[in-house]
Amino acid sequence: MAHTDPPDLPPTSSRDDSWTVQDTADLYRIDEWSEGYFTVGESGHLMVQPDNRISHQIDLYDVVRGLEERGIRSPVTIGFPDLLRRRIEEMVGAFGDAIESNNYRGGYSGVYPIKVNQQRFLVEEVEAIGRNLNFGLEVGSKPELLAVMGLTANGPDRLIVCNGFKEERYLRHVMLATKLGRRIIAVIENLDELDTLVRVFQDSGARPMIGIRLKLESHGSGRWRHSTGEKAKFGLSIPGVLKVVKKLAEVGMLDCLVMLHCHMGSQISDIQVVNAGLAELTRVYVELCRLGAGMQYIDVGGGLGVDYDGSQTNSDFSTNYGLQEYADTVVYRVMSGCDEAEVPHPTIVTEAGRALVSHHCVLVCNVLGANRVDRWAMSVEEARTRLEEVPDQPRAIEEVMDALSSVRDDRLLESYHDAVQAREEALTLFRVGLLGLEMRALVDRLFWSTCLEISRLARDLEAIPEELQELEHSLSDTYFCNLSVFQSLPDSWAIDQVFPIMPIHRLDEEPDRRATLVDITCDSDGKIDRFVDLEDVAPSMPLHAIRDGEAYYLGIFLTGAYQETLGDLHNLFGDTNLVYITMDEDGGWEIGEIVEGDTVKQVLGYLQYEPQTLLKAIRRDCERSVRAGRLSVAESRALVEAYDAGLTGYTYME
Ligand code: PLP
């Protein structure tokens, strides 16, 4: 796809030579959403600060260029294990501080729910980082449990929490892990599971550690608010909880009931939800203690939110609290509920996933080209010259022309309405065959020129009318990005999730274009048109004009949770390359691990195509064409080689 910057057009805003990297940082609000992990460097490159104990930063643009030199193409997901360590340590530190300042007498144990991002390297890292931090793992299915059992072979004391639907085989694996000495808790989500669990453990002679998932009455917030309440998919209501207690007492296993669990929904945006939910959870916890259960753990589930848009509000993609406030709230609520009932303080377990792993991954893609409306712009003089060549032009054309020549900054809205009306009349003539294609093209160009002029003048207004704000966005460029939204940013497509996006270089230059982003799938939904903006979420974002022959890279941040692993193969675009980057001793960077993205061959294989059979068919076809004289032997050979190379290539634009 060609770069399409027209050379002779004025920029949409005048270029400011006094522009600084701080202006860029302010424009993209990086200080608000990045939690200090990303900054704009003096070099004009995006810098990553994975480890706050070291002053060195990693130059993300340098990493991307270095990867390209090694043949690792964009789109590429870049993970920073040091940043992951930093997040986990901050989480444990926040709970440590809350425990100390409240004189809480129980402990804290985080578990990482691997469904949030199951990449082996990542889970191994969490396991390794968590070794001295009392940090364990949470699983929600049988395959996840089998993976975690293997990964914790050398750390049996790590807490493993088992959620999700459990049939007999799942529970047998839990029993096996118990016999292997793992500290593993099976959380009962429905009553059917209980009978099976009791039977499996009675037969084995092992003693289980059991948890109950409680259906909270208090309401969640944000997109996942329906994870609580009577209609929630998982968990037991109070009568169900009592039934579990009764059954366990009957079979002599009430002492095995050690945990009460809840999950208030993902991305909790309002701290009041945590407050209310924990008050309820703790009340049930102390009642279970009173009934004689062997309670030791209170598990508050996941839900700790990420401030994707940096607004610090209770909007869907933000949070009105920070990590320390969350930890303080949890510890205080559990403590006061237990103190009131004179019950010992339990170990607090959290299952935060998104908040742990979102930050450590950046998806980087290259921009392939741009569509610019202003490439069709023309001046009044140019239009007049063109019209002089056309005898008997319809009045409608003259009116579109008038709209352009009469744009004035004191009547911008009227000018816009005039232009819309004049174009509508011209379109009517076109529809009934009274206007030819040439004139229709001229009308479109005059109309866009009028809109561009109105939009340019509107930027100087103190208050820009809503219609003109929308006009500005609708005139923005379209940047074609080498990625599939369905594969790499499914939440952007499915739930309109906002991710912070910005270029990773040229940050010392003022971005003088506005654009929306589209991906390379053949699907009009494959686009991004919700961006972090100075005031609110905006449908377009500021970007630099693309320069001919020069790559332009965008970073899509906070993508470490729930993205690639949930993505799909729409149009057969496969997994992107994934690279983990660590700091080297001199402050540079090195590649820790590479997980190569899918090749065309692999994605075809997932859908039962056999690449060898396809290749054979092409070979036969080529031979036939040689015999029929449509191809020379050399052409046929080149064609087979190109097909074969295509099969082993990356699914994205190379
Ligand atoms: N625990 C349970 C039971 C969940 O269902 C989820 C996700 O929905 C999580 C933990 C992780 O939630 P989050 O990533 O929002 O912290």
Side-chain angles (χ1 to χ4, degrees):
M1 220 174 288
H3 293 164
T4 48
D5 278 3
D8 51 352
L9 292 172
T12 47
S13 65
S14 50
R15 177 82 178 272
D16 180 358
D17 287 335
S18 62
W19 188 262
T20 65
V21 291
Q22 187 55 49
D23 292 326
T24 301
D26 295 343
L27 181 69
Y28 293 112
R29 301 186 58 179
I30 189 168
D31 294 338
E32 274 96 295
W33 55 258
S34 78
E35 308 242 2
Y37 307 131
F38 305 102
T39 54
V40 178
E42 284 304 321
S43 58
H45 295 173
L46 199 293
M47 307 300 286
V48 190
Q49 174 108 42
D51 189 335
N52 57 344
R53 291 166 299 201
I54 307 175
S55 59
H56 303 305
Q57 297 181 330
I58 296 178
D59 181 328
L60 187 57
Y61 180 65
D62 187 47
V63 172
V64 171
R65 298 307 299 219
L67 293 176
E68 298 253 342
E69 275 167 26
R70 290 164 178 79
I72 303 160
R73 307 286 180 100
S74 301
V76 57
T77 300
I78 303 178
F80 297 94
D82 297 307
L83 217 159
L84 185 65
R85 169 183 296 280
R86 197 172 153 185
R87 283 302 288 179
I88 294 177
E89 285 174 355
E90 282 172 1
M91 178 93 187
V92 174
F95 271 90
D97 288 351
I99 283 174
E100 203 182 309
S101 62
N102 282 291
N103 288 323
Y104 185 77
R105 291 184 298 283
Y108 167 69
S109 183
V111 291
Y112 168 61
I114 73 164
K115 68 162 162 265
V116 179
N117 186 334
Q118 296 108 333
Q119 279 291 339
R120 178 190 56 80
F121 183 79
L122 166 69
V123 179
E124 277 178 3
E125 281 292 304
V126 175
E127 198 275 331
I129 296 165
R131 233 164 256 168
N132 300 320
L133 298 172
N134 205 17
F135 214 89
L137 297 163
E138 185 262 7
V139 299
S141 68
K142 206 165 41 182
E144 288 184 355
L145 173 58
L146 294 181
V148 163
M149 277 172 69
L151 289 178
T152 51
N154 295 324
D157 58 325
R158 313 296 287 283
L159 184 61
I160 303 173
V161 177
C162 299
N163 290 317
F165 289 104
K166 299 171 202 72
E167 31 63 295
E168 178 158 346
R169 184 169 268 183
Y170 186 147
L171 290 164
R172 284 197 176 282
H173 294 317
V174 176
M175 183 271 291
L176 190 70
T178 309
K179 286 209 157 195
L180 288 170
R182 301 287 199 286
R183 202 149 62 94
I184 184 165
I185 301 179
V187 178
I188 300 298
E189 313 246 9
N190 65 61
L191 291 171
D192 295 341
E193 288 174 6
L194 179 65
D195 292 340
T196 318
L197 177 124
V198 167
R199 185 164 35 80
V200 165
F201 273 86
Q202 275 178 335
D203 290 351
S204 76
R207 300 290 287 173
M209 287 173 89
I210 303 173
I212 296 180
R213 177 161 174 172
L214 177 67
K215 253 183 200 170
L216 288 178
E217 269 308 306
S218 28
H219 284 291
S221 75
R223 284 206 75 86
W224 288 272
R225 60 188 167 280
H226 303 300
S227 304
T228 61
E230 185 49 37
K231 291 289 287 171
K233 180 170 163 191
F234 293 108
L236 300 175
S237 51
I238 298 295
V241 171
L242 286 177
K243 203 155 182 185
V244 173
V245 171
K246 193 161 167 253
K247 167 92 189 184
L248 289 177
E250 274 166 21
V251 297
M253 282 188 179
L254 194 52
D255 60 318
C256 299
L257 178 57
V258 293
M259 173 187 270
L260 183 65
H261 170 281
C262 76
H263 175 64
M264 297 176 221
S266 200
Q267 184 64 16
I268 300 170
S269 47
D270 190 345
I271 194 68
Q272 292 315 335
V273 170
V274 180
N275 253 313
L278 278 177
E280 190 183 341
L281 186 73
T282 311
R283 273 292 300 129
V284 178
Y285 180 89
V286 299
E287 288 294 325
L288 287 173
C289 293
R290 202 176 51 76
L291 290 171
M295 304 308 285
Q296 298 171 37
Y297 301 93
I298 191 160
D299 183 338
V300 305
L304 174 57
V306 168
D307 194 0
Y308 291 97
D309 65 17
S311 66
Q312 294 182 20
T313 60
N314 62 358
S315 75
D316 277 1
F317 304 114
S318 183
T319 57
N320 65 3
Y321 60 92
L323 176 56
Q324 191 60 58
E325 185 178 348
Y326 176 79
D328 289 338
T329 306
V330 171
V331 170
Y332 177 77
R333 277 285 151 223
V334 173
M335 188 182 73
S336 49
C338 289
D339 285 351
E340 233 164 73
E342 296 181 359
V343 157
H345 298 169
T347 297
I348 294 174
V349 178
T350 61
E351 297 179 0
R354 172 191 302 277
L356 280 192
V357 299
S358 289
H359 299 79
H360 90 290
C361 277
V362 185
L363 171 69
V364 176
C365 71
N366 51 318
V367 176
L368 299 162
N371 232 347
R372 286 173 56 162
V373 173
D374 64 1
R375 69 196 306 221
W376 304 113
M378 66 196 314
S379 64
V380 179
E381 292 70 39
E382 197 187 335
R384 278 202 199 294
T385 320
R386 294 281 298 278
L387 281 173
E388 272 160 19
E389 298 158 12
V390 186
D392 304 329
Q393 352 147 340
R395 239 187 74 72
I397 303 261
E398 198 47 51
E399 278 172 15
V400 183
M401 186 83 160
D402 284 350
L404 176 58
S405 42
S406 62
V407 173
R408 282 209 326 263
D409 50 9
D410 59 345
R411 55 181 301 278
L412 287 181
L413 206 51
E414 292 92 313
S415 304
Y416 177 53
H417 294 153
D418 291 349
V420 171
Q421 177 62 27
R423 183 180 190 230
E424 198 39 56
E425 279 165 23
L427 286 185
T428 307
L429 295 181
F430 176 73
R431 283 187 206 110
V432 297
L434 294 175
L435 203 68
L437 214 51
E438 282 284 326
M439 281 300 107
R440 164 73 203 272
L442 192 66
V443 167
D444 283 351
R445 292 187 64 183
L446 284 168
F447 176 71
W448 290 328
S449 307
T450 312
C451 292
L452 285 163
E453 182 60 4
I454 292 170
S455 184
R456 187 180 70 79
L457 293 171
R459 273 179 224 132
D460 295 330
L461 296 181
E462 255 172 38
I464 307 178
E466 207 177 309
E467 253 179 293
L468 298 189
Q469 286 178 27
E470 279 165 22
L471 177 66
E472 162 122 36
H473 291 302
S474 67
L475 291 171
S476 64
D477 304 341
T478 304
Y479 276 37
F480 299 95
C481 297
N482 193 14
L483 73 109
S484 158
V485 164
F486 305 92
Q487 172 61 248
S488 299
L489 296 169
D491 280 351
S492 163
W493 164 67
I495 56 167
D496 283 337
Q497 162 95 44
V498 176
F499 291 96
I501 303 178
M502 62 182 287
I504 61 166
H505 58 134
R506 294 177 62 185
L507 303 177
D508 48 355
E509 282 174 42
E510 181 179 7
D512 53 8
R513 310 293 309 170
R514 282 201 77 88
T516 54
L517 308 181
V518 295
D519 72 4
I520 53 170
T521 63
C522 300
D523 192 318
S524 48
D525 267 2
K527 63 176 191 304
I528 305 175
D529 56 4
R530 286 168 60 77
F531 302 96
V532 175
D533 197 59
L534 290 178
E535 272 154 30
D536 201 351
V537 171
S540 63
M541 68 174 293
L543 286 173
H544 303 92
I546 305 165
R547 296 191 191 120
D548 253 345
E550 202 181 284
Y552 188 55
Y553 294 101
L554 300 181
I556 306 175
F557 294 83
L558 315 189
T559 51
Y562 300 113
Q563 298 311 303
E564 282 280 340
T565 44
L566 279 188
D568 65 31
L569 283 178
H570 198 5
N571 271 147
L572 299 188
F573 290 111
D575 281 347
T576 60
N577 290 319
L578 168 62
V579 183
Y580 288 97
I581 298 290
T582 52
M583 293 230 179
D584 72 13
E585 281 162 9
D586 311 319
W589 55 270
E590 59 191 19
I591 298 176
E593 173 93 3
I594 301 178
V595 185
E596 280 187 46
D598 286 322
T599 59
V600 172
K601 221 181 203 167
Q602 282 169 321
V603 296
L604 290 174
Y606 298 151
L607 295 159
Q608 297 82 47
Y609 291 90
E610 287 176 8
Q612 280 313 318
T613 312
L614 296 174
L615 186 62
K616 265 190 203 156
I618 292 297
R619 268 190 211 285
R620 272 199 305 274
D621 210 4
C622 282
E623 281 306 314
R624 263 199 306 270
S625 298
V626 169
R627 282 199 302 278
R630 284 193 298 272
L631 287 181
S632 69
V633 172
E635 281 172 330
S636 144
R637 180 178 160 179
L639 210 145
V640 169
E641 279 171 4
Y643 188 88
D644 195 21
L647 286 175
T648 49
Y650 200 17
T651 57
Y652 295 90
M653 300 275 189
E654 293 178 277

